[in-house]
Amino acid sequence: MEKSTPRLVTYTLSIFAAITGLLFGYDTGVISGALLFVKKDFILTIYEEQLVVSVMLLTAGIATLFSGYFTDKLGRKITILIGSILFIAGALFLAFAMSFHDLIIGRVITGLAIGISMTAAPMYIAEIAPAKIRGGLVTTNQLFVTIGILLAFIMNYAFSGIEDGWRWMFGFGMVPAVIQFIALACFPKTPRFLASKGKFKQALSVLKSIREADQAEKELEKIKGSLKKEKTKFKELLHSDIWPAFTVSIALHSFQQLTGINAVIYYAPQIFLSTGFTSTHAAILATIGVGVVNVLMTIIALPLLDRWGRRPLFFTGLFGMIVTLVAIGLSFLFGIQSKFIAIISIVSIMAFVGSFAISLGPMSWLMPNEMLPIKVKGRAVSIAIFTNWFCNFIVSGTFLTLVHFIGIGSTFSLYAAIALFAWVFFYVCLPETKNKLLEDIKVNFFISRKN
Ligand code: BGC
């Protein structure tokens, strides 16, 4: 019993921090359904429709750039709390929107919430988790993203038959945010943040609640050591000790988006319709199938991250992404008219999402928090995450145009080529961080995989 208590505390803290992921996933998924109704009620032009979708990503990106300041100055916990208040405000604005402008304000507020808290939540979890289960724990945030997306797909389906159902779709997002706010307000700050502010006594008492007594003392000493050693400032991100980890972090976030995951998440119903689905109803149901595969494969990844290690899982998943992207590309290029090939393309879309869920999905949110040294972590991680929103904005903002000009087949082949490039790049420089204390992780190009 005594032994299990610190673990129980760590799991509880992680789950409530990870509600941030659920909120992000929900706001990612809800728009595809809500938009179908909102555009009719407010008679939106295509330009206005696109703005309602993309303004959230843009503001998330901008907010992310400031999130490093918040996480370093106010701490990871307070930043998540500010995020929950913004999520509540955004959901309220959207649920009671009376005009296109209200919708934009609601999406901007939600984007701010996502930007700051999606930086803080994985960081909070990475800093309280013991090394042995850190991979799985940080990935609960990604698991919650996938659950949020699935929940939104289900809510879209459930509320689509009700008058003003879109208000409920948006408003429902408030519920997890309120729960998170109340729970997290009572939780401690992370020991690493407390130590970075010189509050060693408090840091030790938090460590004692989440580690065995002797380990707590040892870990505090390590943290103190790393604070002393690393006199690195923001401008010194290009310092030889930092830039390899910084570059890999940026690459993880960029390739996560440039390989096309959100082309599928945002536009799945349209893609399914192009494969020959005759009813929208069936296409939306198939989209729920995508959501289910995403959640299940993330659940499978959780224990494997710490058992197999990051690299084996990452390269298996990324290889799967390449193969499935090629299959989707070829089937659209050469024979979607045939029923057999249409089935291959649908199975490949599901398998693509599943492969993402064990590789670039979890790893992009996990590994930057492991690789980057504490002194620059807040700011460096926030810049890496900024590239995520930016590339997400580019991919989701160009997908329909690309399909229009070069076709779905060539568009997915382009994502396949990017994924192949990513495989080679990461093969050379992605470190193995399994089972290591954060303070012991170093990234060196070409040799990191042997660490
Ligand atoms: C990505 C999102 C994506 C989601 C899909 C996340 O890791 O950041 O952009 O929609 O995974 O599960």
Side-chain angles (χ1 to χ4, degrees):
M1 177 71 194
E2 260 181 10
K3 281 216 157 183
S4 65
T5 309
R7 281 248 164 140
L8 198 67
V9 175
T10 313
Y11 283 131
T12 312
L13 298 180
S14 306
I15 284 174
F16 282 98
I19 289 182
T20 292
L22 188 128
L23 290 162
F24 162 53
Y26 190 83
D27 286 306
T28 298
V30 79
I31 198 65
S32 63
L35 206 58
L36 297 174
F37 305 95
V38 165
K39 70 177 178 191
K40 284 188 201 143
D41 283 9
F42 295 132
I43 318 170
L44 301 185
T45 63
I46 286 191
Y47 164 74
E48 287 170 334
E49 249 186 84
Q50 280 179 351
L51 204 62
V52 173
V53 177
S54 58
V55 78
M56 185 181 92
L57 299 170
L58 263 191
T59 31
I62 296 166
T64 299
L65 289 179
F66 297 100
S67 65
Y69 176 83
F70 286 107
T71 49
D72 287 350
K73 293 280 173 205
L74 302 177
R76 293 56 163 136
K77 170 186 145 173
I78 303 287
T79 310
I80 302 176
L81 285 179
I82 297 175
S84 354
I85 295 175
L86 289 170
F87 271 118
I88 296 170
L92 280 175
F93 246 96
L94 289 164
F96 292 103
M98 298 307 288
S99 66
F100 165 67
H101 291 108
D102 293 347
L103 287 175
I104 294 293
I105 296 173
R107 293 287 283 177
V108 165
I109 299 174
T110 311
L112 292 177
I114 292 174
I116 63 165
S117 52
M118 277 298 281
T119 311
M123 199 177 285
Y124 185 91
I125 304 172
E127 291 189 355
I128 56 160
K132 276 198 168 164
I133 52 167
R134 190 179 54 237
L137 268 189
V138 179
T139 302
T140 48
N141 195 56
Q142 172 66 15
L143 173 63
F144 275 44
V145 173
T146 61
I147 294 176
I149 293 174
L150 178 60
L151 190 66
F153 287 163
I154 294 171
M155 288 297 166
N156 291 347
Y157 190 72
F159 288 122
S160 57
I162 296 173
E163 197 187 340
D164 272 354
W166 62 268
R167 295 189 185 277
W168 291 100
M169 294 175 194
F170 282 132
F172 182 82
M174 233 178 73
V175 179
V178 171
I179 296 174
Q180 183 184 48
F181 182 83
I182 296 172
L184 217 74
C186 318
F187 288 172
K189 296 180 174 163
T190 75
R192 281 172 178 79
F193 171 72
L194 290 167
S196 74
K197 297 288 164 205
K199 296 180 179 169
F200 298 117
K201 261 196 183 164
Q202 286 183 40
L204 184 62
S205 97
V206 176
L207 273 171
K208 281 186 172 161
S209 68
I210 54 177
R211 302 281 187 277
E212 304 307 319
D214 56 325
Q215 279 172 14
E217 310 260 354
K218 275 191 219 150
E219 198 163 326
L220 184 63
E221 285 318 305
K222 280 250 176 191
I223 296 173
K224 281 184 183 169
S226 78
L227 288 171
K228 262 184 239 147
K229 258 192 287 167
E230 298 154 4
K231 290 261 177 280
T232 325
K233 288 254 159 56
F234 177 60
K235 341 177 185 105
E236 291 167 49
L237 283 175
L238 300 180
H239 188 278
S240 59
D241 280 351
I242 313 272
W243 74 261
F246 188 45
T247 310
V248 176
S249 303
I250 288 181
L252 279 168
H253 276 291
S254 309
F255 284 120
Q256 190 201 51
Q257 295 300 326
L258 295 175
T259 43
I261 183 66
N262 283 315
V264 175
I265 300 288
Y266 295 150
Y267 300 105
Q270 272 107 308
I271 299 174
F272 285 128
L273 284 173
S274 337
T275 63
F277 273 74
T278 41
S279 85
T280 320
H281 189 74
I284 293 178
L285 267 185
T287 306
I288 294 183
V290 167
V292 172
V293 170
N294 200 9
V295 172
L296 290 182
M297 290 305 282
T298 310
I299 292 176
I300 290 176
L302 283 181
L304 296 182
L305 279 164
D306 292 309
R307 214 170 292 155
W308 283 9
R310 317 309 190 234
R311 281 182 63 98
L313 205 57
F314 183 87
F315 290 109
T316 310
L318 194 49
F319 180 72
M321 286 175 70
I322 299 168
V323 173
T324 49
L325 282 169
V326 169
I328 302 168
L330 290 180
S331 40
F332 274 100
L333 279 173
F334 295 113
I336 206 71
Q337 299 83 351
S338 128
K339 211 171 187 172
F340 175 66
I341 297 201
I343 290 172
I344 291 189
S345 75
I346 294 163
V347 171
S348 303
I349 289 170
M350 304 265 182
F352 165 68
V353 174
S355 306
F356 171 88
I358 60 166
S359 56
L360 277 167
M363 243 62 90
S364 309
W365 294 103
L366 165 66
M367 296 192 67
N369 283 298
E370 299 186 311
M371 296 181 298
L372 285 156
I374 185 161
K375 280 265 180 170
V376 292
K377 196 191 277 182
R379 279 164 279 192
V381 168
S382 66
I383 293 174
I385 296 181
F386 169 79
T387 58
N388 186 303
W389 305 124
F390 183 72
C391 296
N392 188 345
F393 178 70
I394 300 285
V395 170
S396 44
T398 55
F399 178 70
L400 292 179
T401 316
L402 280 174
V403 169
H404 180 74
F405 284 107
I406 61 173
I408 295 194
S410 304
T411 305
F412 276 97
S413 307
L414 177 68
Y415 298 147
I418 298 175
L420 184 62
F421 179 80
W423 201 95
V424 176
F425 174 84
F426 288 119
Y427 191 80
V428 174
C429 60
L430 192 79
E432 181 52 83
T433 54
K434 176 183 122 172
N435 263 345
K436 288 186 185 150
L437 253 190
L438 294 180
E439 284 67 29
D440 294 336
I441 294 169
K442 295 272 173 293
V443 184
N444 295 309
F445 269 42
F446 303 107
I447 57 164
S448 357
R449 65 179 183 276
K450 294 182 193 134
N451 279 354

